[in-house]
Amino acid sequence: MKIFNTVLKSAYTIPMLALAGIFVSCGSTKVPPVVEEEPVVSVEEAVVAPEPEIQAEEAVAEPVVAETDDEYSRSVGDVGVSRDTFEDDKTKILRIIEELAGVMKDMDYKRWLTYVDNESVQYWQQSSNLKKAQNRLPVKGLKLNTLQDYFKYVFVPARNGRTVTEIRYISDTYTKAIQVREAQDDVVYYYFNKINGFWMVHLPPIEN
């Protein structure tokens, strides 16, 4: 009888274990779909999310660089001068400055006068104005009795060997030629008046 019961229990237990194994194996097959869904979400987050941020940075950065590096905007400011006119004026002014370099090297006063506007010549021929300039010279003892003295002791030493890189419009017929220096104020070396279509050197009067 005990043997029969043991056999009966064995006969009952084996199918149950086999059936339990089926449930376990069936249950285990349900796990992979959950695992497969997770990487889909993470990939979308990794690839899609950064794209709007990159596009936004590029859209903001481009116009700032263009505005900062535009020499035309720096030179013209609020004066109504076209880009073509600016480029033409700058070319002519830089050519005049190059010619003046040769004039100063030769100390050719008579030729220098051909580059200077009449207003400046009349002002600096007056002894009272020359006296004011003489008192402001860094080197004491120099005498400015004539406009030629001004050319020799003031104009030439202040500009000889200097480099001019850009121009700045004060008006559409009045400009200054400057040297641009990083982290320092720009240096003005020349003023030019546009008279009858020609750029002439202007020597500003002394401010009281």
Side-chain angles (χ1 to χ4, degrees), residues 127-151:
S127 58
S128 59
N129 295 328
L130 290 169
K131 183 68 174 179
K132 292 178 184 178
Q134 175 182 302
N135 293 334
R136 298 188 181 186
L137 290 175
V139 179
K140 302 303 179 182
L142 292 177
K143 301 296 183 180
L144 301 181
N145 298 317
T146 65
L147 181 55
Q148 186 169 3
D149 291 335
Y150 177 91
F151 167 72

Side-chain angles (χ1 to χ4, degrees), residues 30 34 67 77-78 82 86 92 139 151 175 179 191 194 197:
K30 295 180 181 180
V34 177
E67 182 178 354
D78 296 330
S82 69
F86 155 70
K92 291 177 179 178
V139 179
F151 167 72
T175 64
Q179 179 184 25
Y191 289 88
K194 196 172 190 178

